[in-house]
Amino acid sequence: MNKIISMLLAILMVAAMFTFVACGNDTPDTPDTPSTPDTPSTPEDPATPETPADTRIPLDLPAKNYGGDTSFHMVEWTVSGQKDAGGWIPWHEGDAPEEEGDLMSTAVFARNAYVEEKYGVNITQEYVNVNANDHVLRVQQDNQTSENGIQLVTTRALHSWAFISTGLLHDMADIGEGLLHFDQPWWVQDAVESYTLGNSLYICSTEMLLRDKGATAAMYFNPVIAENYGLGNLYDMMDAGDWTYEMMISACDVVATSLDGDDLLNSREDLWGMMAPDDTSYFLFAAMDRKFGIINDEGYLEFTFNEADNLVTMQQIFEDVMYADWYANEYLQDVLGSGGGFENDLALFLPAIVKSAYTNLREMETPYGVLPMPKADYSQDGYRSLVWVHHDSVLGIPSAVADPEMACIILEALSYEGYYEVTPVLIDTLIYGRLAKTEESKNSFETIFNSRVYDAGQFWNSDYPGLVDGENSVLRQTSKHNSAMVSVWDTHRNATEQRIKDVNDFIDETR
């Protein structure tokens, strides 16, 4: 009997071993077949280590190889002609030197190295000053001299119209048929909707770019101050949908305190409710589900700032927040940036873009908290996080490019690889893993990225000077303390209406 039992156990063990081996063969990746962006297994296999090929959406592009020495040259905007200008560009987007070796540069370099090997191109890049309009002149020069050496250009989102109205960019919806897949997740879908004019798409944002993530509005807060003043758990408030405009104002009222003995809020020595740049008015406006303009169902630009109660809402933001005693504006108080007040525990709130956590706040001794911008009220269906045109990037293909098909293929490949290999490094590893100080702040960053919105009225009417930007714009009213939004609108009405007409006439001409 013992022999029979032993034989049965042996048979069962052998059967189990065969079952284990069979199941193991279904596993997509094994240690014996690693694949990395720097050394792809074969030019035909786009597998990279973070996202196995069989879990990816297939990339539908023709099999092309351009011989290894074909240039794919990009012009990228900066505010000074250099890469790192005051934190405007903390991360390389188009190309990155191998020797820099930081987290984001390594990811971008690996992405480009893989695309270069797979398609036989040489990716290069130059930085051009956007504020001096040099980036427009650079592309014009390339067109006029028939150099045709620029395959891709990025620009600050608020300068979009300057490129399109002068005929410097291809309609990607035309040249990209079958090559650029605008409905796929490596194209930022809200950007596709907001930048489409009629049936045309001249500029857009894809996962080749990074600055749209960094340009997303957020509300940083000091958790120690919040606790000391009995404000409760702000994260619980956010999760419950109770993080509202009125709650923000009440918290600032509670916290604001004169600490230098003069009973006035007037110095760096005082405790402020909020320290912020002028951008705050736009962040709050968008957070309350308001926009300067939209692309309507017919594909035309429709300006909405002067409609319904939008003007009233913006006026209320200025009276409640921008002109409040507890609000310290960076241009008046010199409190933001290196050596500033929020970093030194002298303010409860700092409305700023996500990139600020990387460029300004990493060295704070007090771990900061982060929230989305507050809702208008309890009834609003979720939070809204503006992608801010002053820091956002968009891209386009120059109209004089020598080989439009090649430009489309490489753009699509860079965007595809960026979606799977670079964006996760930025969001999952850098922002969620390093910039989020707690699990609660990680969840809050997730809420921010899941609630991003674009404002078509801003980037189609942002030329300096104007309603959206410039000395007499809505943006610069903070220091005046007596501005009426109706008057600001009246000042810019004619120019704004002309811009809307120009954009919509352009749509009619190009349909």
Side-chain angles (χ1 to χ4, degrees):
M1 179 63 69
N2 288 338
K3 289 182 179 181
I4 294 173
I5 291 174
S6 297
M7 290 176 62
L8 289 173
L9 288 173
I11 293 171
L12 288 173
M13 290 177 63
V14 171
M17 290 176 62
F18 277 110
T19 302
F20 175 78
V21 171
C23 292
N25 288 339
D26 290 335
T27 303
D29 289 328
T30 68
D32 296 327
T33 58
S35 176
T36 67
D38 289 325
T39 55
S41 52
T42 67
E44 292 75 32
D45 179 12
T48 50
E50 298 300 328
T51 310
D54 60 359
T55 67
R56 291 183 173 201
I57 301 170
L59 179 59
D60 184 15
L61 284 177
K64 292 279 187 176
N65 189 290
Y66 295 96
D69 58 356
T70 299
S71 174
F72 183 83
H73 187 63
M74 294 180 277
V75 167
E76 183 171 351
W77 74 272
T78 76
V79 295
S80 69
Q82 300 176 4
K83 183 255 175 182
D84 188 11
W88 281 78
I89 311 174
W91 313 302
H92 292 284
E93 289 186 303
D95 194 17
E98 180 178 13
E99 64 271 12
E100 284 202 3
D102 62 273
L103 190 68
M104 294 313 305
S105 294
T106 299
V108 171
F109 179 84
R111 176 199 67 188
N112 287 13
Y114 175 74
V115 171
E116 285 178 322
E117 181 171 343
K118 179 174 176 60
Y119 293 97
V121 296
N122 180 30
I123 297 173
T124 58
Q125 174 182 283
E126 64 181 288
Y127 291 107
V128 180
N129 188 339
V130 69
N131 284 337
N133 212 33
D134 289 351
H135 65 318
V136 174
L137 297 176
R138 176 69 181 88
V139 178
Q140 286 177 337
Q141 179 188 37
D142 189 73
N143 289 356
Q144 292 167 358
T145 59
S146 299
E147 291 179 5
N148 308 134
I150 303 173
Q151 279 74 44
L152 191 69
V153 61
T154 75
T155 185
R156 196 177 178 187
L158 63 85
H159 293 293
S160 303
W161 182 243
F163 274 93
I164 296 171
S165 61
T166 53
L168 292 178
L169 299 179
H170 267 301
D171 176 5
M172 292 186 288
D174 179 25
I175 65 169
E177 186 173 357
L179 301 171
L180 302 177
H181 303 91
F182 306 120
D183 61 338
Q184 294 297 339
W186 48 91
W187 287 81
V188 179
Q189 294 305 303
D190 285 344
V192 172
E193 179 180 342
S194 296
Y195 280 109
T196 297
L197 297 177
N199 302 316
S200 300
L201 188 66
Y202 295 89
I203 56 168
C204 199
S205 183
T206 81
E207 296 301 334
M208 192 202 93
L209 304 176
L210 300 172
R211 274 182 274 189
D212 60 303
K213 288 77 174 174
T216 305
M219 180 70 82
Y220 299 97
F221 72 94
N222 188 306
V224 174
I225 295 175
E227 181 178 359
N228 289 344
Y229 282 79
L231 298 181
N233 190 314
L234 298 183
Y235 289 118
D236 288 346
M237 189 183 302
M238 178 198 76
D239 291 339
D242 296 338
W243 170 231
T244 64
Y245 178 76
E246 290 298 331
M247 184 61 68
M248 177 196 73
I249 292 172
S250 297
C252 290
D253 281 332
V254 168
V255 165
T257 307
S258 174
L259 300 178
D260 59 6
D262 63 2
D263 295 326
L264 298 173
L265 289 171
N266 58 7
S267 76
R268 282 187 170 191
E269 307 307 317
D270 297 325
L271 180 59
W272 298 80
M274 183 179 294
M275 289 180 171
D278 287 346
D279 309 352
T280 301
S281 58
Y282 289 174
F283 297 170
L284 288 171
F285 189 69
M288 297 165 76
D289 205 18
R290 307 285 177 168
K291 290 186 177 183
F292 279 77
I294 60 171
I295 300 297
N296 64 25
D297 292 340
E298 287 72 42
Y300 291 102
L301 175 61
E302 182 179 326
F303 208 70
T304 57
F305 183 64
N306 60 317
E307 296 179 358
D309 59 351
N310 284 335
L311 281 172
V312 174
T313 299
M314 185 63 86
Q315 183 71 41
Q316 198 67 42
I317 289 171
F318 272 84
E319 293 176 1
D320 291 344
V321 180
M322 316 300 285
Y323 299 158
D325 290 341
W326 43 254
Y327 179 90
N329 175 262
E330 66 168 312
Y331 300 103
L332 299 177
Q333 303 293 340
D334 189 25
V335 293
L336 187 63
S338 59
F342 181 81
E343 295 92 322
N344 294 324
D345 301 327
L346 291 177
L348 172 63
F349 289 127
L350 169 67
I353 55 179
V354 166
K355 182 180 64 177
S356 296
Y358 183 86
T359 55
N360 296 93
L361 306 181
R362 285 190 297 172
E363 305 305 320
M364 280 186 68
E365 292 186 12
T366 301
Y368 57 81
V370 63
L371 300 165
M373 298 300 290
K375 300 192 301 182
D377 53 41
Y378 300 106
S379 65
Q380 184 173 308
D381 62 341
Y383 299 98
R384 307 285 189 274
S385 303
L386 179 68
V387 180
W388 182 218
V389 294
H390 276 249
H391 291 260
D392 188 22
S393 279
V394 291
L395 54 78
I397 297 174
S399 55
V401 68
D403 188 345
E405 181 190 60
M406 189 267 281
C408 288
I409 288 174
I410 303 305
L411 167 58
E412 186 76 355
L414 288 171
S415 302
Y416 180 84
E417 294 298 326
Y419 175 69
Y420 285 109
E421 301 303 334
V422 180
T423 299
V425 173
L426 174 64
I427 294 186
D428 296 339
T429 305
L430 182 60
I431 296 177
Y432 294 168
R434 297 188 183 180
L435 299 183
K437 302 300 183 181
T438 64
E439 187 66 23
E440 291 174 312
S441 61
K442 173 185 176 292
N443 294 337
S444 191
F445 271 123
E446 289 179 348
T447 298
I448 290 167
F449 283 119
N450 289 332
S451 61
R452 300 197 312 155
V453 293
Y454 287 75
D455 188 336
Q458 287 184 8
F459 47 71
W460 292 124
N461 187 42
S462 295
D463 296 60
Y464 178 94
L467 177 69
V468 175
D469 195 12
E471 292 304 317
N472 295 311
S473 66
V474 173
L475 182 66
R476 302 305 182 199
Q477 299 305 307
T478 306
S479 61
K480 302 185 187 312
H481 282 260
N482 59 357
S483 298
M485 287 301 119
V486 172
S487 297
V488 176
W489 164 244
D490 285 341
T491 300
H492 296 287
R493 179 193 299 269
N494 291 339
T496 299
E497 290 178 347
Q498 183 60 51
R499 168 56 57 81
I500 297 167
K501 183 178 185 304
D502 290 344
V503 172
N504 289 334
D505 285 348
F506 180 85
I507 292 172
D508 286 333
E509 293 167 4
T510 55
R511 275 188 184 272

